[in-house]
Amino acid sequence: MTEKGPPDQAARVRPRLEALIPAAILVLRVALRRTPWFFDWMIVLSLYWILYVFLAGRRERTFVTVGVMLLLLGIYLWRVLPILADTFLFCL
Amino acid sequence: MRMIGLLIGNLAVLLGSHALLRRVRTGETSSDAVLFLLLRLTLISAMVLVAAAAGLLSPSWLTVASIVALAALLWNGEHRHLPRFRLPDVGKGVLVFAVVLVARSLIQVWIFAPFQRDALTYHLPKIGEWIQHEGFTREWGLDLRSTFPSGFELIETWWVAFLHHDVLIEMAGLEFLLLGFLSVVDLCRRMGIAPRFAFLGGLLYALTPGICLQATSCLNDAPAAALWTATAALILGRAPWSLLVLPVALGFGVKPTYGYAIPGLALLAFWWRPRSATRWTLGIAALALAVGSTWYVRNAVVYGNPLYPMGPKGISVQEGHVAQRFGPSVHGLVENLSRVAETRIDDHLGPYDPELPYISGWGPATFAVGLIAVFLAIRTDPSMRRLAAAFGVSLLSVLLLVVFDPWFLRYVLFFPALFAIASAKLAGDLPEASMIVWAALLFEFAGTCIPGRFPFGAVTELAAQPWRQRTLYPQPQLRDIAVLGFLEHPGDEVKIYPLYGPDFSRRIVLLRAASPDQLLDVLRREGLKYLYCPKDHELLQDCLARNRISRLGGGLFAVK
């Protein structure tokens, strides 16, 4: 699509081009992954990026953004909470 | 009485800092707050340096000097120019949280005793020497790293010298934690974030587990990071170039790795050009340069190398082991970056600890909110794009220069500030994100109460001790020994600082000897009756065989 194309078409092409970046990261990450995929923050972020560029509405974007944040927080706590609980019990 | 001396000293420095600030203020409250704290740290450093160089580092001399300085400032009417105290307009809940955080930090300062390995082996023993001798000594410690720049130790000395006791030594770290907080608040304001959310950004940075726990650990990585963020804040505030010398000189004086992160600051200064200097800012720059360069000048004079012990082959503390290399390594950069992404970023390989072993210490706010917030910010905001580029360049330049080891992320503790700023911006734009930020903050608050590598039952044990005797390493076998010789095995790293005692009442004679005869000669010359060497040293075998010393157990020997 050239710059001269109708605005709605240009707007549709740009997200597709931008989505190539996270898609490439996603492919590389899956190929090179060392941790289970559901713990992998780069996979989560790549998927988020792809969703984000295709969802234009503010409500949808907010929903996805908050959802991914909660997912990342969940991943973090799942992995770190047992270690922190140990620290408390051990050091007090 | 000594506590009153400390109080007067702090009043004098606060008033003096404000007097200087009046001459160089930027006009922006958030930037002036950063500048004020930088001036305070510079004045404290200068005062301790002068007192130690003159051999006047005693409670009485420091109190007299503080009284004179305070009287002069009051005579000059400086107190009449103090601003009226106003609570920041950030909401009641946020203020209550901030007050609780301050109260918890003060309790940590009161209860904790120095515990971290690097602090006990080479950062703090020189303070023990300075306090005991009421000034600088030729002896700074047996560990090679004792000669590292000691700008942070000057601030710690300030909190120790008046009391002749280390109960408040962690206050030095809190000063830098406050500097980091104020700098991030200022950076947020420069990014157009409303005051309420700028304050939240500051809290996010201050509660980053790595930063927060370092503040009470007597380590200098977080102070160096705070000085980096302060430099960035002053650059974005378009302060005169001569004022930028202030955090830069202090940064180099605290830790040379500050210099590794300069490229990002240079990039910022290229985009936000500094203003020209004034007479006062030049004077302050000269003072800061003198403070920050002291260590390099000393090393140049004593060892012929300003960067000693760094040489062309890096820093080698023990034979065959390079603690830090000299120069960049692309392989090292790739290794470091890969470890950040693969294992360090979500802190799952170990507990939160100031040394950051196998973790980043960036916390859940960075992981859950910061990553997404940075993505969204650089996608839409050109200023944030430039700021993020500068942070990224500094991150890359540090990771290019430091060795890959379990705790290499200690050197980039400025980087979570980017996530804090972006998260604050997002919290302002998206109320739903704000809830998650607060959940992460509360978790960080709970997770940073106790350092992860505290010994078993340490908190209860410390809290039960009277403050005068408070230490994590009581060494009961040394209780009645006033003077102790100390010999270190070449392959050992001894936590020597606790031997001085929390009130620095035990004189430690550091022994350097190449042969048993030399050792016996030093023991005789110094009149030592006891010798401490926790790991068997070959020099001692001969002395034992000749019946010149006898083993008492626990690394202690009696000299006959």
Side-chain angles (χ1 to χ4, degrees):
Chain A
M1 182 58 59
T2 62
E3 289 291 317
K4 287 175 184 169
D8 59 329
Q9 279 179 309
R12 251 183 285 141
V13 168
R14 241 180 271 122
R16 278 187 216 149
L17 283 176
E18 188 184 336
L20 285 178
I21 307 168
I25 296 172
L26 190 61
V27 170
L28 272 176
R29 194 64 198 164
V30 170
L32 299 173
R33 75 177 195 276
R34 294 180 198 169
T35 47
W37 68 268
F38 46 87
F39 277 158
D40 197 308
W41 63 276
M42 283 173 82
I43 290 179
V44 173
L45 273 190
S46 305
L47 288 171
Y48 168 69
W49 192 346
I50 293 168
L51 270 174
Y52 190 86
V53 293
F54 281 108
L55 293 174
R58 187 180 159 82
R59 268 182 63 186
E60 290 91 333
R61 281 186 165 180
T62 301
F63 183 76
V64 170
T65 301
V66 171
V68 173
M69 281 180 186
L70 286 172
L71 177 67
L72 287 173
L73 187 63
I75 291 173
Y76 187 94
L77 296 184
W78 179 265
R79 306 191 89 181
V80 172
L81 261 180
I83 303 170
L84 284 187
D86 266 1
T87 306
F88 267 96
L89 295 175
F90 187 76
C91 296
L92 277 175
Chain B
M1 196 61 198
R2 287 176 173 181
M3 195 55 101
I4 293 172
L6 180 64
L7 193 68
I8 294 171
N10 276 306
L11 281 177
V13 172
L14 286 170
L15 207 52
S17 309
H18 189 262
L20 284 178
L21 179 70
R22 283 201 308 119
R23 274 110 188 150
V24 296
R25 66 167 77 244
T26 63
E28 189 72 40
T29 312
S30 56
S31 299
D32 285 345
V34 174
L35 204 47
F36 173 70
L37 204 48
L38 286 171
L39 289 167
R40 171 178 159 80
L41 293 168
T42 308
L43 283 184
I44 288 177
S45 304
M47 207 160 154
V48 173
L49 267 177
V50 170
L56 303 173
L57 195 64
S58 67
S60 45
W61 276 112
L62 281 175
T63 305
V64 168
S66 300
I67 290 171
V68 170
L70 186 62
L73 288 161
L74 291 174
W75 181 265
N76 209 29
E78 288 297 336
H79 58 293
R80 291 193 197 101
H81 301 284
L82 287 174
R84 280 182 55 199
F85 180 72
R86 281 183 296 121
L87 282 176
D89 185 20
V90 292
K92 238 181 223 168
V94 180
L95 271 184
V96 168
F97 182 78
V99 168
V100 171
L101 177 61
V102 170
R104 189 202 66 175
S105 301
L106 293 175
I107 291 170
Q108 284 176 320
V109 167
W110 183 248
I111 288 181
F112 289 0
F115 62 93
Q116 205 281 330
R117 185 186 53 170
D118 289 359
L120 300 181
T121 51
Y122 62 89
H123 286 303
L124 299 182
K126 70 186 97 167
I127 296 182
E129 289 294 313
W130 299 346
I131 295 293
Q132 282 191 341
H133 294 91
E134 299 188 349
F136 289 146
T137 50
R138 194 169 172 78
E139 182 60 77
W140 282 28
L142 293 176
D143 194 296
L144 199 64
R145 293 163 291 184
S146 305
T147 55
F148 281 171
S150 307
F152 181 52
E153 283 84 330
L154 288 181
I155 312 297
E156 288 177 312
T157 303
W158 172 260
W159 285 101
V160 160
F162 284 93
L163 305 177
H164 216 276
H165 197 288
D166 71 2
V167 69
L168 297 181
I169 195 166
E170 294 89 357
M171 283 300 291
L174 282 198
E175 299 226 24
F176 284 94
L177 186 70
L178 182 60
L179 179 67
F181 166 82
L182 292 172
S183 304
V184 170
V185 170
D186 191 34
L187 282 169
C188 286
R189 296 292 293 131
R190 300 293 169 188
M191 290 293 112
I193 300 170
R196 186 191 175 120
F197 293 100
F199 196 87
L200 178 65
L203 282 179
L204 276 169
Y205 185 59
L207 266 170
T208 302
I211 302 277
C212 190
L213 283 172
Q214 277 235 346
T216 49
S217 72
C218 301
L219 286 177
N220 59 6
D221 307 282
L227 287 163
W228 191 96
T229 51
T231 317
L234 290 189
I235 292 173
L236 263 67
R238 301 212 55 235
W241 65 264
S242 41
L243 274 188
L244 299 183
V245 173
L246 186 57
V248 172
L250 292 181
F252 273 101
V254 164
K255 199 171 178 88
T257 51
Y258 171 91
Y260 290 2
I262 284 283
L265 294 173
L267 195 60
L268 282 181
F270 174 75
W271 281 321
W272 281 272
R273 295 290 166 93
R275 285 187 283 125
S276 46
T278 63
R279 197 162 51 93
W280 274 99
T281 61
L282 281 173
I284 287 168
L287 180 66
L289 267 179
V291 167
S293 63
T294 305
W295 323 105
Y296 299 92
V297 172
R298 178 186 185 269
N299 281 344
V301 171
V302 176
Y303 302 104
N305 171 11
L307 301 178
Y308 184 84
M310 176 65 90
K313 290 179 181 166
I315 300 172
S316 180
V317 182
Q318 282 144 4
E319 221 174 282
H321 173 250
V322 178
Q324 274 310 331
R325 71 164 167 270
F326 183 75
S329 159
V330 176
H331 175 72
L333 171 67
V334 173
E335 193 78 32
N336 285 337
L337 278 177
S338 150
R339 287 303 192 286
V340 174
E342 297 286 348
T343 55
R344 303 297 203 265
I345 195 164
D346 62 355
D347 300 324
H348 77 280
L349 289 181
Y352 292 155
D353 189 80
E355 201 178 22
L356 303 181
Y358 304 104
I359 59 168
S360 64
W362 293 355
T366 288
F367 190 75
V369 184
L371 286 171
I372 288 181
V374 166
F375 161 73
L376 293 174
I378 60 177
R379 205 170 173 274
T380 52
D381 186 339
S383 295
M384 276 300 294
R385 214 171 288 151
R386 287 181 168 183
L387 188 67
F391 271 88
V393 165
S394 280
L395 176 80
L396 290 178
S397 71
V398 175
L399 296 187
L400 185 70
L401 289 161
V402 300
V403 163
F404 166 64
D405 58 26
W407 39 81
F408 71 95
L409 284 174
R410 279 192 337 196
Y411 309 117
V412 292
L413 278 172
F414 60 87
F415 197 69
L418 174 65
F419 297 110
I421 297 162
S423 300
K425 189 175 168 58
L426 184 63
D429 295 341
L430 203 66
E432 294 88 344
S434 185
M435 302 291 286
I436 304 173
V437 167
W438 275 102
L441 262 183
L442 290 173
F443 181 85
E444 288 179 347
F445 180 87
T448 51
C449 289
I450 306 168
R453 294 202 165 181
F454 246 28
F456 179 74
V459 178
T460 319
E461 195 184 307
L462 281 170
Q465 291 175 12
W467 71 267
R468 285 181 194 282
Q469 280 102 48
R470 192 169 291 148
T471 172
L472 261 176
Y473 304 91
Q475 313 270 19
Q477 80 274 24
L478 307 179
R479 188 168 297 145
D480 299 321
I481 299 176
V483 187
L484 184 68
F486 173 74
L487 183 68
E488 187 170 55
H489 188 280
D492 203 8
E493 268 189 352
V494 179
K495 294 170 179 167
I496 177 178
Y497 175 72
L499 298 181
Y500 290 90
D503 57 355
F504 306 97
S505 56
R506 187 177 299 115
R507 189 164 78 85
I508 305 297
V509 180
L510 302 173
L511 301 170
R512 298 166 194 270
S515 67
D517 287 330
Q518 268 186 23
L519 177 63
L520 289 169
D521 191 39
V522 179
L523 291 172
R524 195 173 45 246
R525 202 172 55 234
E526 294 284 344
L528 292 167
K529 293 194 168 69
Y530 296 95
L531 168 65
Y532 183 69
C533 181
K535 193 171 180 179
D536 262 358
H537 197 295
E538 60 182 31
L539 293 181
L540 296 180
Q541 298 306 322
D542 191 77
C543 298
L544 282 166
R546 285 152 67 177
N547 202 28
R548 303 292 297 274
I549 60 172
S550 61
R551 195 187 296 271
L552 297 175
L556 189 64
F557 298 82
V559 182
K560 293 179 179 175

